[in-house]
Amino acid sequence: MEKYSVIGKRLPRLDSVAKVTGDAKYAGDFFLPGMLHGKILRSTVPHAKILNIDTSRAEKLPGVRAVATGKDISDIPHGFIRAAPAPFFLRDKFSLAKEKVRFIGDEIAAVAAVDEDTAMEALDLIKVDYEELPAYFSPQESMALDAVRIHDHAESNVSVVISFHLGNIEQGFAESDFVFEDNYSTQYILASYIEPHAAVADFSQSGNVTLWLSTQTPFYDRTNIAETLGIPESKVRVIKPPVGGGFGAKTETHTLFTASAVLSRKAGRPVKIIYSREEEFTSTAHRHGVTVNHKIGVKKDGTIKAVDSKFFADGGAYNSHSAISMFIMGTLQNGPYNMGSFKYEGIRVYTNKPFAGGVRGHGAIQPRFVIETMMDSISEKLDIDPIEIRKMNAVKAGQTTISKFKIRSCGHTEALDKAVEEIGWKDKWRKLPDGKGVGLASMFFASGAAFSFFYDNPPSFSGVKINAETDGNFTLFTGTSDIGQGSETTLAQIAAEELGVGLNKISVIASDTATTPLDMGSYSSRVTVFGGGAAKIAAYNMKMKLFDIAADMLEANKDDLEAKNERIYVKGTPEKSVSIADTVIGYYNKMKEHLTSSGDYNPPADVGGEMRLDLGEVNISPTFSFGTHATEVDVDKETGEVKVQKIAAAHDCGFAINPMAVEGQIEGSIQMTFGQALLEDYRMEKGWSITNSFIDYKMATSEDMPYIKPIIVESIDSEGPFGAKEASEGTNVATIPSIANAIYDAVGIRMKDLPITPEKILRALEKKEGGK
Amino acid sequence: MRLPKFEYLEPKNVKEITSLLKKNEDAILIAGGTDILPKMKQRIVTPKYVINITKIEDLKKIEFAEKKGLTLGSLATLDNISKSKPVIEKFTALAQAAGRVASPQLRNMGTIGGNISIESMCMYFNQSHEWRKGRPHLCFKLGGDRCFVAKGSKDCLALFQADTPPALIALGAQVTIVGATGKEKIINIEDFYTQKSKKVNILKPTDFVKQIHIPTPPKGTKSCYLKMAQRAAIDYPIAGAAACITVSGGKCKNAGIAVTAVGSGPLRLKEAEEVLIGNSITDELIEKAADAAYEKVRPMPHFNISAWYKRKLIRVLVKRSIKQACSKAK
């Protein structure tokens, strides 16, 4: 008999019909009576003091109902890191500029009018007097000795420095037979969700405000909105309807969220703001572009002894995730290999550009590109098989790394073996004709951050409540945010399995700060382990309450009961059973109260602790995922064109609650990093965003995508619910280096600068062959 | 982004198009709308009148007769052209070019008349109203005094990138233009283009393209269009090249070679054609023709694509398109 009846099954998502038929209502779909339309006035200069904002003409325009500026908001700025002991300056962004603008696109004023056209017209009537300041568009320019400060607190325009040293690298390098050193760079990319940001705010006469937001973090938004408006948090209700992708950028409380509420308060009417695609490009959070200097010391046999890495990140105008981004870029180098000893310096620099924040594969994409490419170089120089060098240095289950990560489960070796087998490595590597090649790369990723970056005293990291209904159905309330990854279905499957009912018996109410328990949101690949963990506990608690009643009804011992097929049975006596619906009625009759349960997930004691991002020795996550991508490419040596034929993507997700969802995550996430590897190139010129649409920003289309073979590896984790780990960010971390390494196998050039465009390949080929 | 306000007009026949164009100043024609609607949303074009010509069935024809050749109404869709049997067989380069435009959805809407009339594009111009109005200076295309593509340029350097024109040039197509008086004028498609980025074709506000005609190529003629773009779909070419080769008695009797996405218009490369004509085609000769193409083109950089790379690509694409055409022509 199969062990499970609901989990481990390829089940369609609960929201699939609604989404496919267009029935799902996103934030932008909400219309309220009397609703106004809002627009944001943005800076047209990259760096300036604001001398004066004259809104008088805009206010007089017929149809305009409210104009807001920095004067209409509180003096509390926002940023992703809010909890103590984080220094104040990590929160450095006002929704509407107070004294300065710091990039072209920075928000200055907001207008609400009877329609969008009138609001746009009003923007043209607002006069802003600037005193322009020198502007800087690269970390090098920003850090020049004579550069003016973009933020008063930031000397040399350094936004944050994270550095740590694990073990002794001097000794590590001394013990190394070879030291490899190289420089790399990666580009700014955009998260590129299909649904642009949208907000509808309704500030009522009673002083409460309700918002429908396209967000990953409704609770954080609630706090930021309350602080910006200067009202108690409990007066703000954020509802997260279906979201059309977030990929990290929707963890920001972007200006439309606060501005819609400010305008609604001023106008006394609901206000809707939807960002244009252009605004998404010019003014929302991007992935950090970095330049890297990396040094790896190895023994002759391939053992890694020491790593010294320096990361310079272009942070743009504001801090956003800043310290977390820089911390992860360092700490997530400590796997899937043991690094011997490790030193890291991550410097994030302010520039007059759109700010960089957290984007899928946050902080892991950049160092993984570097390390896996270098592993390939090292294995070649030492004449060790690239598979072997990865295996010999691999971290293993049960081990604690020098960074103090506790590895509870590890399917890396299995993932590696399966990926290379699928790609046909043995027959292809170094054996394919010129222009064709295979490459591989491994990765690991956290299953949720075990810190509360935002709240000082949250009740728990994730909470779930369940209500029982007399028809045998359950309603599950969760604060986790399904942003398209399908987490509502995952949580429902977990609860259904625990309760012994079908998936159709679980209704999910998700992300409404007024009704669902507090949750940190969807980021750091935390939802399955944290939200799923809470769902499992809540469902178990519900089951125990049902068993209490059923034990009476069945005249049996509670410990002898089991829930399955929507009934409660006495184990081994199938004729003795009662339906769950009858048990719920029995509960009401006996207890005279509603039947509810709750569950909270908190990381175990050996994880997390005090939020010290300046320390490298801290276990950041309850558990870690692992994986390997093996990729086959064709390179056209005359044009430099790369055709990725196939990516075999093996991912250790612990246990696949829903294999179809895991496969979807693997394929979808590869689409994202495939684009970063080869195509996506966000261009700016003197602070002006040039790529403002998907015709110029080359996100991969379905025509561009290679054949992806998702391979699920299950290492059955001891911490995650039913053994599950993350499967949403780690799934794309190995893509870029696996493509770069395949290009090397095909044509013998090392690409160290992203994106790897045909032009760069042709230049590298000509350089290699001495030019034509 | 929303469309600006305009008045909508719908002519029932070709005559009415002319009279509406004459009557209403500041009017534009709309067919597939795939090019014009984004421009209207960006307020690059804000016409008072939009004349929808898509109800005129006459203009949708794709007709082929051995004696008459191929006639394409200006409203023939790119999708229909790319799938038309005679076009695929006799005018292969055109079928290939039409089939590589944008995406299936856009090819269903987009027309051949629209594709040949596409204006040049530029990252400093094809932007929203909000973006453009914030810039401190206007470029030539917006009536200003400079070009941002190349400092010091005395002229607009926006890039012409349409796919079908090089194929049509290589195949020797002719365009029928109806003018203000209703009189038809037939010109070679090469002469349709001004080679000026600010206004790439010769159409006057009261003109419209009625149809395109291509004579049946002589026996032994084959053609090919090759495009390289960053993406496989929804992308303009980094470079595109079309070759039409007639081989008879082992020798090249006639050759048409043209490229796109290198400058202010589609460019016919007579220098490359001349290398081939009268000679028996060998790999070496094809290399020479490709070299001639390389020498002739002076591409403009565009976004992240350098002039250096475009020029390299032209050599490769011209070579490959000739080879592919010849491999079928023999």
Side-chain angles (χ1 to χ4, degrees):
Chain A
M1 209 178 99
E2 282 187 67
K3 199 172 167 191
Y4 300 121
S5 56
V6 188
I7 58 169
K9 300 269 185 274
R10 306 176 64 86
L11 296 174
R13 288 156 46 152
L14 297 171
D15 57 359
S16 50
V17 172
K19 283 190 170 164
V20 169
T21 56
D23 193 35
K25 284 160 192 74
Y26 296 81
D29 293 327
F30 284 81
F31 283 86
L32 297 175
M35 190 176 78
L36 303 171
H37 296 267
K39 282 276 166 194
I40 311 282
L41 180 74
R42 298 180 178 282
S43 175
T44 54
V45 294
H47 193 194
K49 278 185 191 149
I50 298 175
L51 300 177
N52 188 46
I53 306 171
D54 180 1
T55 59
S56 56
R57 285 177 67 211
E59 280 161 33
K60 281 180 203 141
L61 183 73
V64 171
R65 296 301 164 92
V67 180
T69 66
K71 287 180 186 155
D72 296 293
I73 60 171
S74 79
D75 287 325
I76 305 173
H78 45 82
F80 194 79
I81 308 172
R82 179 173 167 275
F88 75 95
F89 60 78
L90 291 180
R91 307 189 87 207
D92 58 4
K93 172 102 172 78
F94 290 107
S95 292
L96 296 168
K98 290 271 186 186
E99 287 162 355
K100 273 182 93 175
V101 285
R102 297 182 173 89
F103 70 99
I104 293 173
D106 211 350
E107 296 86 1
I108 297 172
V111 173
V114 291
D115 57 37
E116 221 177 316
D117 291 344
T118 309
M120 303 258 280
E121 211 182 318
L123 293 186
D124 285 348
L125 299 176
I126 298 174
K127 194 167 169 286
V128 185
D129 297 327
Y130 299 109
E131 180 191 323
E132 285 202 53
L133 297 167
Y136 312 107
F137 307 115
S138 71
Q140 288 73 16
E141 288 172 40
S142 274
M143 292 177 79
L145 283 175
D146 59 345
V148 301
R149 290 188 186 188
I150 295 171
H151 290 268
D152 290 342
H153 67 258
E155 202 185 328
S156 302
N157 283 320
V158 170
S159 105
V160 67
V161 178
I162 300 282
S163 56
F164 44 83
H165 186 174
L166 311 173
N168 183 341
I169 64 157
E170 284 77 23
Q171 196 190 329
F173 280 118
E175 288 168 14
S176 300
D177 296 314
F178 298 96
V179 175
F180 294 82
E181 185 174 356
D182 225 328
N183 298 310
Y184 291 81
S185 60
T186 71
Q187 81 277 39
Y188 249 43
I189 68 145
L190 198 76
S192 303
Y193 26 80
I194 296 304
E195 182 208 15
H197 274 88
V200 174
D202 186 12
F203 202 101
S204 75
Q205 296 301 320
S206 60
N208 289 304
V209 60
T210 304
L211 298 106
W212 290 262
L213 303 179
S214 171
T215 178
Q216 298 176 230
T217 46
F219 287 89
Y220 292 4
D221 295 329
R222 177 178 69 163
T223 303
N224 285 330
I225 291 161
E227 287 182 347
T228 303
L229 267 66
I231 60 174
E233 204 170 273
S234 54
K235 298 269 182 194
V236 179
R237 178 182 184 186
V238 175
I239 298 168
K240 182 213 70 74
V243 171
F247 311 114
K250 288 179 183 169
T251 60
E252 304 287 339
T253 301
H254 282 113
T255 291
L256 77 164
F257 293 176
T258 47
S260 58
V262 171
L263 289 168
S264 178
R265 178 165 68 178
K266 273 197 130 179
R269 283 165 67 167
V271 174
K272 175 191 280 188
I273 302 180
I274 299 177
Y275 275 180
S276 67
R277 185 58 66 183
E278 181 177 303
E279 287 177 294
E280 295 289 349
F281 278 96
T282 61
S283 311
T284 63
H286 295 205
R287 192 197 295 291
H288 288 85
V290 298
T291 53
V292 183
N293 173 263
H294 215 269
K295 232 163 102 176
I296 301 181
V298 289
K299 300 286 280 181
K300 267 188 296 212
D301 67 358
T303 310
I304 302 170
K305 296 300 290 181
V307 172
D308 188 2
S309 62
K310 291 190 190 70
F311 278 62
F312 263 98
D314 187 343
Y318 294 101
N319 258 329
S320 174
H321 292 58
S322 64
I324 302 173
S325 310
M326 299 322 295
F327 173 70
I328 307 174
M329 282 183 216
T331 199
L332 278 189
Q333 295 187 42
N334 285 289
Y337 317 114
N338 287 303
M339 291 310 204
S341 55
F342 180 80
K343 194 175 166 196
Y344 168 75
E345 187 171 46
I347 301 174
R348 184 182 188 274
V349 185
Y350 285 127
T351 56
N352 295 109
K353 290 158 77 172
F355 59 95
V359 176
R360 193 181 203 170
H362 184 196
I365 296 285
Q366 300 96 329
R368 193 52 44 199
F369 168 50
V370 175
I371 290 173
E372 293 299 322
T373 312
M374 287 188 72
M375 289 295 278
D376 219 47
S377 299
I378 294 168
S379 71
E380 189 190 20
K381 284 271 163 58
L382 300 184
D383 199 22
I384 303 172
D385 185 288
I387 300 168
E388 282 317 305
I389 198 168
R390 285 177 167 84
K391 282 188 180 171
M392 64 186 288
N393 286 293
V395 301
K396 296 195 168 54
Q399 188 200 329
T400 302
T401 67
I402 52 169
S403 55
K404 296 283 180 280
F405 300 163
K406 205 173 155 79
I407 308 301
R408 295 177 209 276
S409 60
C410 178
H412 176 203
T413 305
E414 188 185 341
L416 184 51
D417 287 340
K418 285 186 168 163
V420 296
E421 194 194 329
E422 175 65 35
I423 210 76
W425 186 267
K426 258 199 322 209
D427 304 323
K428 289 179 177 167
W429 181 62
R430 290 187 177 169
K431 289 176 186 156
L432 290 171
D434 192 26
K436 290 178 185 292
V438 289
L440 71 90
S442 290
M443 70 86 216
F444 83 124
F445 203 79
S447 298
F451 300 106
S452 175
F453 297 114
F454 198 81
Y455 295 116
D456 284 320
N457 299 298
S460 71
F461 277 77
S462 198
V464 164
K465 282 183 186 164
I466 297 175
N467 286 358
E469 316 286 349
T470 51
D471 57 4
N473 285 275
F474 296 92
T475 307
L476 185 151
F477 296 81
T478 171
T480 60
S481 297
D482 196 329
I483 52 171
Q485 82 276 43
S487 63
E488 286 182 18
T489 308
T490 306
L491 264 59
Q493 281 183 264
I494 289 170
E497 184 67 44
E498 191 67 42
L499 287 162
V501 299
L503 184 61
N504 61 345
K505 295 285 175 187
I506 311 280
S507 304
V508 179
I509 303 292
S511 287
D512 174 348
T513 60
T515 60
T516 60
L518 186 136
D519 186 275
M520 307 291 172
S522 282
Y523 62 87
S524 78
S525 293
R526 59 185 297 285
V527 178
T528 298
V529 169
F530 286 67
K536 189 164 187 285
I537 295 164
Y540 176 82
N541 290 342
M542 171 60 73
K543 190 167 74 176
M544 288 303 112
K545 287 188 175 188
L546 290 169
F547 280 6
D548 279 335
I549 301 301
D552 277 358
M553 294 168 87
L554 296 169
E555 294 174 343
N557 192 327
K558 184 182 169 186
D559 296 339
D560 294 335
L561 300 181
E562 62 178 342
K564 60 180 187 187
N565 305 327
E566 287 152 30
R567 298 186 73 81
I568 296 167
Y569 292 91
V570 180
K571 281 183 213 161
T573 320
E575 62 279 8
K576 275 184 87 175
S577 75
V578 58
S579 77
I580 283 177
D582 288 342
T583 312
V584 173
I585 292 164
Y587 183 92
Y588 287 1
N589 289 337
K590 184 175 174 199
M591 307 295 289
K592 300 294 177 201
E593 64 173 31
H594 286 90
L595 176 49
T596 68
S597 72
S598 68
D600 290 281
Y601 180 82
N602 290 298
D606 57 0
V607 183
E610 193 191 356
M611 188 185 69
R612 288 285 301 274
L613 296 176
D614 53 341
L615 290 179
E617 292 177 317
V618 58
N619 191 10
I620 58 168
S621 180
T623 185
F624 297 87
S625 66
F626 294 86
T628 301
H629 288 189
T631 296
E632 182 170 353
V633 302
D634 286 359
V635 180
D636 185 325
K637 288 182 82 175
E638 282 188 322
T639 63
E641 211 172 359
V642 175
K643 175 81 190 150
V644 179
Q645 298 292 356
K646 179 175 176 177
I647 298 178
H651 187 77
D652 164 25
C653 64
F655 170 75
I657 304 283
N658 187 338
M660 197 154 73
V662 175
E663 287 168 9
Q665 286 290 306
I666 291 173
E667 289 172 353
S669 67
I670 288 175
Q671 189 275 350
M672 195 159 174
T673 26
F674 174 88
Q676 174 159 21
L678 299 172
L679 293 165
E680 295 177 28
D681 203 358
Y682 177 75
R683 304 296 278 195
M684 294 200 81
E685 202 176 285
K686 291 185 181 144
W688 285 88
S689 170
I690 298 289
T691 34
N692 293 319
S693 76
F694 286 133
I695 187 73
D696 295 324
Y697 186 79
K698 314 286 181 187
M699 186 163 76
T701 68
S702 55
E703 281 276 311
D704 296 291
M705 289 309 296
Y707 168 55
I708 298 166
K709 173 69 185 174
I711 301 164
I712 295 173
V713 172
E714 296 184 321
S715 58
I716 312 297
D717 191 71
S718 58
E719 179 59 26
F722 297 104
K725 303 192 281 191
E726 76 87 28
S728 60
E729 289 191 85
T731 47
N732 71 4
V733 173
T735 315
I736 298 171
S738 79
I739 293 172
N741 290 340
I743 291 170
Y744 184 80
D745 189 43
V747 291
I749 49 171
R750 281 271 172 235
M751 302 309 289
K752 299 170 194 168
D753 172 39
L754 298 180
I756 306 169
T757 61
E759 180 165 345
K760 287 181 192 167
I761 288 190
L762 203 61
R763 283 186 194 276
L765 282 170
E766 291 207 353
K767 203 174 151 199
K768 186 186 163 215
E769 281 155 25
K772 265 187 214 169
Chain B
M1 274 185 280
R2 301 155 77 91
L3 286 171
K5 290 200 169 69
F6 56 84
E7 233 174 276
Y8 175 85
L9 304 167
E10 204 178 274
K12 285 187 267 316
N13 54 48
V14 170
K15 258 190 186 165
E16 273 186 36
I17 299 178
T18 305
S19 65
L20 285 173
L21 279 173
K22 262 165 58 182
K23 205 170 87 191
N24 304 302
E25 252 180 66
D26 193 14
I28 55 148
L29 299 182
I30 188 166
T34 56
D35 185 51
I36 206 75
L37 290 176
K39 278 189 185 159
M40 286 173 70
K41 288 181 177 181
Q42 293 176 322
R43 306 297 191 266
I44 289 169
V45 186
T46 50
K48 214 164 155 189
Y49 302 96
V50 171
I51 303 173
N52 175 15
I53 55 175
T54 57
K55 299 292 159 75
I56 304 169
E57 294 300 319
D58 282 359
L59 296 181
K60 296 182 183 171
K61 67 184 167 198
I62 300 176
E63 278 174 6
F64 174 73
E66 200 64 46
K67 276 188 183 164
K68 282 189 179 166
L70 178 73
T71 304
L72 304 169
S74 59
L75 295 182
T77 65
L78 296 165
D79 184 65
N80 284 342
I81 292 168
S82 71
K83 290 172 181 166
S84 152
K85 210 176 154 203
V87 179
I88 292 169
E89 281 171 5
K90 309 254 179 197
F91 311 90
T92 315
L94 177 60
Q96 289 169 331
R100 278 300 310 273
V101 176
S103 65
Q105 296 89 333
L106 292 168
R107 290 194 292 273
N108 278 334
M109 298 295 293
T111 62
I112 188 72
N115 196 255
I116 67 164
S117 307
I118 281 182
E119 270 300 324
S120 60
M121 298 182 93
C122 176
M123 56 190 171
Y124 303 102
F125 170 69
N126 294 87
Q127 299 279 2
S128 74
H129 165 70
E130 285 73 36
W131 192 93
R132 283 179 280 122
K133 93 177 170 211
R135 301 272 295 177
H137 302 285
L138 293 179
C139 72
F140 288 122
K141 203 137 179 153
L142 293 162
D145 60 355
R146 63 192 72 198
C147 174
F148 296 110
V149 175
K151 258 189 200 154
S153 170
K154 292 204 165 52
D155 225 333
C156 169
L157 292 179
L159 186 67
F160 181 85
Q161 314 179 82
D163 284 296
T164 60
L168 291 168
I169 290 172
L171 291 164
Q174 292 161 329
V175 183
T176 303
I177 299 168
V178 180
T181 58
K183 223 178 114 185
E184 291 185 5
K185 184 168 78 178
I186 297 172
I187 58 167
N188 286 331
I189 182 140
E190 267 181 273
D191 301 327
F192 184 68
Y193 296 102
T194 61
Q195 301 299 334
K196 295 273 178 208
S197 291
K198 205 174 161 187
K199 170 85 170 69
V200 298
N201 61 54
I202 60 162
L203 288 178
K204 295 193 195 83
T206 46
D207 290 343
F208 73 92
V209 175
K210 187 185 165 196
Q211 63 186 37
I212 291 160
H213 178 258
I214 314 176
T216 304
K219 216 171 148 263
T221 303
K222 293 286 173 189
S223 64
C224 170
Y225 173 75
L226 294 177
K227 166 180 183 171
M228 176 152 164
Q230 297 186 64
R231 273 194 302 225
I234 322 185
D235 211 356
Y236 292 101
I238 301 173
C244 177
I245 311 289
T246 308
V247 178
S248 171
K251 291 218 163 120
C252 175
K253 288 286 165 207
N254 199 10
I257 294 168
V259 294
T260 189
V262 290
S264 302
L267 196 62
R268 180 166 176 189
L269 297 172
K270 286 202 170 130
E271 292 79 356
E273 295 169 2
E274 281 159 10
V275 172
L276 301 176
I277 294 169
N279 296 312
S280 45
I281 294 179
T282 60
D283 282 356
E284 276 164 357
L285 193 73
I286 294 173
E287 290 285 353
K288 270 188 194 165
D291 286 344
Y294 179 82
E295 288 305 321
K296 173 75 182 172
V297 292
R298 289 284 179 275
M300 295 184 284
H302 191 67
F303 276 105
N304 53 347
I305 309 292
S306 72
W308 174 87
Y309 183 64
K310 275 182 182 270
R311 210 167 163 212
K312 292 266 176 191
L313 267 191
I314 288 296
R315 189 211 299 257
V316 176
L317 294 180
V318 165
K319 178 180 80 178
R320 290 182 181 177
S321 60
I322 298 170
K323 270 197 180 167
Q324 281 201 23
C326 291
S327 69
K328 292 172 198 157
K330 274 169 193 168

